[in-house]
Amino acid sequence: MYASEIVAVGMAVPDRIVTNDDLSKLMDTNDEWITQRSGIRERRWVDAQTTTSDLALRAAERAIAAAGIKKEDIELIVMATLSPDHDFPGTGCFLQAKLGLAGCATLDIRQACSGFLYGLSVADQFIKTGMYKTVLLVGAEVHSKGLDVSTRGRDVAVLFGDGAGAAILKRTDATNSSRVLSTHLHAEGAHAQELWLPGPGMNLGAERVSRAMLDEGLIYPKMNGKKVFAHAIRRMAEVLMEGLAANNTKLEDIDLFLFHQANLRINEMLAQELKIPPEKVFNTIHKYGNTTAATIPIGMSEAVAAGKLKKGMLVASAAFGSGFTWASALYRW
Ligand code: ACO
């Protein structure tokens, strides 16, 4: 019987720091509004030349080096992003080429903020069935090029940042204590338009992209913030408890919680509701904003670097996002 172990992680963020004050020069917003409602103080933005696969490459190279594997050992690249280099092919293909690899399988995951946990589940299943021994899993986003940074888009634009995180998963024996214990995945497509990117798209009339679409700002993400907020807390709590129950584990047994970073208030309310001590929740949102598919592997990387995530620890992750989709994972580091 096989299981998968997360043997190493890596992350990459652009050098350019964009503070809340910087944003207030572009749109009608201010540091107090953003900090109070989201906990975000700054985020990173790429330069004009950098793409999602570039950030993914940097994170992947760091994870590969930390794992001490040869890149040729990778049999599958699972790439989670909602900000692909191009509509097709998947960003995993561009990443594979930039890594100098050919032949291994690539698979893109489009489950937005739940993308990394969906990807973790996919990687875990491929390893458990014996199909692959080594998988590269990446979550990466370049949001800054796709945000409406005028006052019209301020409710969304202030929340998101650019970044990437990567993990190497390797086959291990199912009796190894360090392993992915379980993943749980859900979606409710009836809410797809509560947090989405309307255009360009095939569902907007005769043309995939039109001048009217650009003028109306349909090429920018739209969000029903209050609805997302309420559903996020409910669904993350539910799916976290589902994971614990499946493993006959209690909340007190968890050493560290690495939640998706959408909004500090979501994670604070979640912890409060479940009576999780705040010191067990590792947050990075104040520095990076919401990097969507990258938040959890960035959290893993920073927690390892800070000495907060150590070998043998029992970790729980949960995420919620566009779709709506939500997911959890329980793993021993
Ligand atoms: N700066 C200043 N004012 C703003 C801004 C801004 N950046 N954005 C909106 N406002 C204004 C609105 O125009 C509105 O003004 P009005 O009352 O005059 O119409 C007012 O602020 C709304 O304020 P609140 O009702 O207090 O807003 P709310 O408490 O709902 O907070 C927020 C908004 C932060 C977006 C909240 O709803 C939220 O965090 N939702 C969850 C969002 C989220 O986490 N999304 C991502 C998760 S999913 C994913 O990761 C893909």
Side-chain angles (χ1 to χ4, degrees):
M1 289 287 285
Y2 299 129
S4 52
E5 179 183 0
I6 302 169
V7 295
V9 287
M11 64 173 277
V13 289
D15 293 334
R16 181 179 169 200
I17 296 173
V18 178
T19 65
N20 294 342
D21 285 338
D22 293 334
L23 291 183
S24 71
K25 292 176 194 123
L26 299 171
M27 62 186 86
D28 180 12
T29 191
N30 57 76
D31 178 53
E32 194 190 354
W33 194 99
I34 301 170
T35 309
Q36 274 183 4
R37 285 176 181 74
S38 72
I40 300 166
R41 295 186 177 277
E42 57 191 42
R43 73 285 295 141
R44 305 296 181 100
W45 282 6
V46 293
D47 57 28
Q49 283 70 41
T50 303
T51 67
T52 298
S53 64
D54 291 325
L55 288 182
L57 174 68
R58 286 181 221 155
E61 284 177 337
R62 286 171 188 160
I64 291 166
I69 62 163
K70 295 198 301 292
K71 62 183 181 183
E72 290 76 16
D73 295 339
I74 295 165
E75 296 164 293
L76 168 67
I77 296 172
V78 181
M79 175 77 222
T81 186
L82 67 62
S83 48
D85 286 12
H86 300 277
D87 278 8
F88 74 87
T91 304
C93 294
F94 293 103
L95 172 61
Q96 186 204 45
K98 286 179 181 176
L99 275 166
L101 292 175
C104 70
T106 70
L107 179 64
D108 270 42
I109 303 272
R110 303 192 59 201
Q111 265 48 30
C113 301
S114 310
F116 187 80
L117 295 183
Y118 264 73
L120 183 68
S121 186
V122 167
D124 187 42
Q125 311 312 319
F126 272 116
I127 288 176
K128 275 189 193 152
T129 57
M131 184 144 170
Y132 297 126
K133 291 196 201 73
T134 307
V135 179
L136 167 64
L137 168 62
V138 187
E141 306 288 356
V142 168
H143 282 304
S144 58
K145 294 186 188 186
L147 296 171
D148 181 355
V149 294
S150 71
T151 297
R152 179 178 68 176
R154 65 182 178 173
D155 60 325
V156 174
V158 300
L159 301 175
F160 292 92
D162 303 340
I168 301 290
L169 283 99
K170 287 193 76 171
R171 183 155 101 186
T172 187
D173 197 89
T175 57
N176 186 10
S177 69
S178 288
R179 66 182 198 277
V180 176
L181 297 164
S182 69
T183 53
H184 290 87
L185 313 178
H186 297 282
E188 192 175 12
H191 302 299
Q193 296 183 359
E194 303 292 357
L195 174 54
W196 71 316
L197 186 66
M202 306 304 185
N203 192 26
L204 295 163
E207 290 174 304
R208 188 177 156 274
V209 59
S210 65
R211 168 57 54 193
M213 191 186 295
L214 299 179
D215 292 344
E216 286 170 43
L218 296 180
I219 59 157
Y220 298 117
K222 310 283 175 234
M223 176 179 74
N224 178 344
K226 284 190 170 38
K227 194 156 183 183
V228 171
F229 197 98
H231 278 251
I233 294 173
R234 181 175 138 217
R235 294 308 197 181
M236 283 167 74
E238 257 174 36
V239 75
L240 184 63
M241 298 316 286
E242 183 183 6
L244 294 179
N247 291 281
N248 214 5
T249 303
K250 297 191 293 298
L251 274 167
E252 308 83 88
D253 300 329
I254 306 297
D255 297 307
L256 192 69
F257 294 87
L258 285 175
F259 295 135
H260 170 54
Q261 305 285 300
N263 185 318
L264 187 63
R265 283 195 306 153
I266 291 179
N267 289 358
E268 284 174 349
M269 286 176 78
L270 182 64
Q272 207 179 346
E273 200 170 284
L274 297 176
K275 301 192 175 49
I276 298 169
E279 61 276 13
K280 279 195 177 184
V281 182
F282 190 81
N283 290 314
T284 57
I285 189 157
H286 52 292
K287 290 196 282 187
Y288 304 127
N290 181 348
T291 57
T292 308
T295 63
I296 290 176
I298 285 177
M300 289 172 169
S301 302
E302 294 234 320
V304 168
K308 303 242 179 205
L309 177 52
K310 297 186 202 132
K311 187 91 181 150
M313 285 174 101
L314 186 59
V315 189
S317 287
F320 176 88
S322 173
F324 289 155
T325 57
W326 60 102
S328 69
L330 204 67
Y331 42 101
R332 195 171 289 282
W333 201 253

